[in-house]
Amino acid sequence: PFAVAIAPVGYGRNAQVKETADQLYQRLAAAGIEVFLDDRDERPGVIFADMDLIGIPHRVVIGDKGLAKGVAEYKGRRDRQPRELPLDGLVGSLRQAIRI
């Protein structure tokens, strides 16, 4: 049922990660995209495995290293490697990836 999953690394420990993830969630939901925000205090590998198990086709990782560069990490289910997408324009990029 979800098109995009947001995986904020350090959601409970980093205010900037939390704020960015929450804003992205709200913007995607407002754009009509079914989005899931995984705010659990788990290791990234656990979160990614659960997203794959559920079958969410698009994953966005928000972390402090990416925020410092102004990017988020995006990975489609069929992609071999994740890629960095600029935070500005991220919603538009995701809409194109999802084809909405």
Side-chain angles (χ1 to χ4, degrees), residues 7-46:
V9 177
Y11 184 85
R13 298 180 304 277
N14 185 315
Q16 187 180 11
V17 168
K18 181 181 187 320
E19 180 181 336
T20 303
D22 289 344
Q23 287 176 357
L24 179 60
Y25 175 85
Q26 292 168 358
R27 291 174 48 212
L28 290 172
I33 297 172
E34 295 287 333
V35 61
F36 173 73
L37 174 63
D38 195 331
D39 59 358
R40 298 177 296 159
D41 186 25
E42 289 285 353
R43 294 182 333 252
V46 171

